Amino acid sequence: MNYLSTRGGTAVSSAQAILRGLSPNGGLYVPEHIPEMPAGWLDPAASFTYQQLAASVLGLYFPELGAAELQDMCGQAYSGFPAEVTPFTQLDDRTCLLELYHGPTLAFKDIALQLLPRLIVRAAQLTGEKRTIHILTATSGDTGKAALEGFRDVDGTACTVFYPHGGVSDLQYRQMATSLGKNVQVVAVHGNFDDAQTGVKRLFSDPSFRARLDAAGRLPSSANSINIGRLVPQIVYYIYGYRYLRQANLLNTDGLMDICVPTGNFGDILAAWYAKHMGLPVGRLICASNCNRVLTDFFTTGVYDIRRPFHKTISPSMDILISSNLERLLFEVCGRDPETVKGWMTSLKEEGRFSLPGELLRKLQAEFDAGTADDGQTRTAIRDTFERSRVLVDPHTAVGLSVLEALRGGKTQKRATLVNATASPDKFVSDVSAALGLPATGKVFDDARALSARTSTPVPASIAALETMEIRHTTVSEPDQMGEAVMAFIGKEA
Ligand SMILES: *Cc1c(COP(=O)(O)O)cnc(C)c1O
């Protein structure tokens, strides 16, 4: 299977696509065709583990990496997860949470980022790449820690994470700033997530920075969902989730399930789109945003417009205006025409907006619904879910639930919906406590203990430990100095 850049040029192998992360022309890699799902995967009589399914999905997209190797990698990657890698919690007779947050950093990013370092090391082996693969990643909070955990002390790799200074939650900050591992670096960037992400993309396409890295024996790569090696592992849980809904007898006679995804960079929901186009019986794809509602407006009007204020919300991992992975969907919807995609991306860069012809907008609307929940609605959803079902959800998941409820609008249409639960409520404990009406102490670990008492569930050990762990990373950078920060780290590391 070869990979094309959304902005044109020659195809590369899957190993090269994974190693590079982003195409040198600024485009994102997409598979040259979307593989079809074997019918056996949907057969209720067939039984397989999450790990086995993951190895099969990866085998369709990255056959070059080797079936036996992929099986080993999937087995190792999920060994620290519960036996049911993505447990299900049914909220009512048509709503099921898919809990994606049982990995080491308590957010769904672990599912891909426990696997990605292994894919990268294997890809380097196959291509004969001898340089150290240096991961450069921008994070709105959760990718950073998941990448730091995934790459920590992995031979042949290094990892630098850039996060918006003051733009992540207290626990997210502590998780990152206390990171261990001799090959990892954490840098706070003045600005918001988009500034950090744009800064990283600039480093990738800056020949002089690449030359300096090369001279230091390094090849830059990405752990953001712009890397196809991050996206494909996320396809797995939708197929797994469909099998669960069917076994639990939640599907209607049409056999379809809807999927509702709290969305930021558009990676997770794009993986659902891939699953659908591989043949998974999916009805609607519901794209839920917080009040940074660029995507909601886009799916409603066809105009993508980032000339608007950036809001800091209680769902910070979705505080994004430039949703990178949308470019992959745009590539597909316009009939895989790189020139058209380039036109839109140039317009986005130069004018802060682009607009889709009506006919293409209708094509998207035939698959996607979109909606927005502001912080007040998010808190209401947290409280309602706890009161109705005794289930605690984090603010990101609550955005999804709020949008889903609004879209259903009391209609009796009963299609079963899988709602991605993208982070543990323990990771956003102060906002969750406030939503439940618990008194705010302003101290995150006191809040965690109070919430734990209220819900009779223990504070996760990985959160409790943060209270006394040493802050090891204190570097702060301007957006135009991010490359210098990386070079300084390499100098120290060597
Ligand atoms: C990253 C993240 C999201 C958004 O996922 P995208 O793939 O960027 O759309 C939602 N919720 C949480 C908790 C996240 O960490």
Side-chain angles (χ1 to χ4, degrees):
M1 172 81 88
N2 282 335
Y3 283 77
L4 311 169
S5 160
T6 50
R7 301 190 194 175
T10 47
V12 301
S13 70
S14 54
Q16 279 168 322
I18 291 169
L19 269 191
R20 287 184 183 172
L22 191 67
S23 156
N25 64 18
L28 275 58
Y29 287 116
V30 295
E32 63 186 349
H33 68 267
I34 296 175
E36 202 172 312
M37 197 167 78
W41 291 5
L42 295 184
D43 180 356
S47 99
F48 36 74
T49 62
Y50 188 94
Q51 287 84 339
Q52 287 166 329
L53 180 63
S56 307
V57 173
L58 289 159
L60 291 181
Y61 282 88
F62 310 131
E64 220 190 326
L65 269 48
E69 285 81 358
L70 286 171
Q71 256 170 29
D72 284 349
M73 288 186 237
C74 292
Q76 290 158 12
Y78 300 122
S79 61
F81 284 65
E84 180 94 90
V85 173
T86 58
F88 301 89
T89 300
Q90 200 177 325
L91 293 182
D92 57 46
D93 61 356
R94 57 175 172 169
T95 316
C96 192
L97 290 179
L98 177 61
E99 294 182 8
L100 302 171
Y101 56 76
H102 293 280
T105 76
L106 308 182
F108 88 92
K109 309 288 200 297
D110 286 325
I111 296 195
L113 281 166
Q114 283 295 306
L115 202 46
L116 184 67
R118 302 168 210 274
L119 299 175
I120 285 182
V121 168
R122 174 74 181 139
Q125 214 176 45
L126 285 171
T127 55
E129 179 59 61
K130 294 283 183 291
R131 287 170 288 182
T132 297
I133 311 301
H134 197 128
I135 302 299
L136 302 174
T137 277
T139 184
S140 54
D142 291 328
T143 294
K145 182 58 182 176
L148 292 162
E149 274 307 302
F151 285 94
R152 171 172 121 195
D153 293 328
V154 174
D155 286 341
T157 72
C159 178
T160 300
V161 164
F162 299 97
Y163 71 91
H165 194 36
V168 299
S169 83
D170 190 21
L171 282 178
Q172 287 176 322
Y173 160 72
R174 283 172 189 265
Q175 277 188 316
M176 290 190 279
T178 57
S179 290
L180 302 169
K182 59 181 179 340
N183 64 338
V184 305
Q185 178 190 26
V186 180
V187 180
V189 178
H190 283 297
N192 60 36
F193 171 73
D194 290 320
D195 297 316
Q197 177 163 260
T198 304
V200 168
K201 285 187 185 167
R202 204 170 39 231
L203 291 182
F204 271 97
S205 52
D206 173 357
S208 83
F209 177 71
R210 293 187 75 101
R212 288 171 75 190
L213 272 188
D214 186 54
R218 305 213 165 198
L219 178 72
S221 186
S222 170
N224 282 106
S225 50
I226 54 178
N227 192 321
I228 190 71
R230 233 249 7 233
L231 212 55
V232 171
Q234 297 178 204
I235 296 172
V236 180
Y237 44 73
Y238 296 110
I239 302 169
Y240 201 68
Y242 180 84
R243 289 177 56 87
Y244 176 85
L245 289 191
R246 180 142 87 184
Q247 270 152 18
N249 260 325
L250 291 174
L251 297 180
N252 285 352
T253 45
D254 68 5
L256 299 177
M257 82 173 173
D258 289 348
I259 300 175
C260 176
V261 186
T263 295
N265 221 359
F266 207 74
D268 208 10
I269 193 165
L270 185 71
W273 183 91
Y274 274 108
K276 179 177 182 217
H277 287 260
M278 290 169 72
L280 191 69
V282 174
R284 310 291 300 168
L285 295 165
I286 300 164
C287 173
S289 302
N290 64 27
C291 60
N292 293 296
R293 46 174 295 159
V294 186
L295 287 165
T296 307
D297 294 340
F298 174 66
F299 283 112
T300 311
T301 64
V303 179
Y304 195 96
D305 191 341
I306 61 168
R307 298 168 307 169
R308 60 176 77 205
F310 181 97
H311 298 288
K312 281 193 189 181
T313 72
I314 61 171
S315 45
S317 303
M318 295 156 61
D319 290 348
I320 294 176
L321 296 180
I322 305 173
S323 298
S324 295
N325 275 290
L326 188 66
E327 182 167 340
R328 288 189 164 106
L329 181 68
L330 293 171
F331 181 73
E332 302 290 347
V333 80
C334 73
R336 303 192 139 211
D337 177 24
E339 293 311 314
T340 305
V341 173
K342 272 196 259 181
W344 287 328
M345 291 303 126
T346 304
S347 155
L348 183 62
K349 197 167 166 195
E350 288 171 4
E351 292 151 44
R353 71 190 289 281
F354 66 88
S355 108
L356 222 56
E359 157 214 355
L360 296 188
L361 173 62
R362 282 186 290 282
K363 243 166 107 176
L364 287 183
Q365 289 172 337
E367 298 194 276
F368 287 90
D369 286 318
T372 294
D374 64 21
D375 280 352
Q377 291 164 316
T378 305
R379 289 192 192 97
T380 303
I382 293 172
R383 196 187 57 232
D384 286 354
T385 307
F386 188 68
E387 282 173 3
R388 282 184 213 150
S389 321
R390 294 282 128 188
V391 173
L392 210 54
V393 294
D394 95 289
H396 304 79
T397 308
V399 168
L401 288 169
S402 176
V403 166
L404 176 63
E405 182 161 314
L407 281 173
R408 282 172 170 169
K411 268 186 283 180
T412 52
Q413 185 266 79
K414 256 196 63 171
R415 191 179 289 148
T417 307
L418 201 61
V419 180
N420 284 6
T422 50
S424 161
D426 295 297
K427 212 168 169 173
F428 299 94
V429 62
S430 298
D431 290 309
V432 170
S433 300
L436 296 185
L438 295 176
T441 65
K443 298 204 185 76
V444 69
F445 296 101
D446 290 344
D447 288 345
R449 283 182 282 267
L451 185 65
S452 155
R454 171 82 175 83
T455 58
S456 317
T457 45
V459 180
S462 62
I463 297 282
L466 292 174
E467 192 167 8
T468 53
M469 279 177 80
E470 180 199 351
I471 300 290
R472 308 165 58 92
H473 301 272
T474 54
T475 308
V476 181
S477 169
E478 294 304 322
D480 62 358
Q481 293 298 310
M482 290 162 57
E484 296 310 317
V486 175
M487 295 315 299
F489 172 68
I490 293 174
K492 259 192 282 172
E493 212 193 356

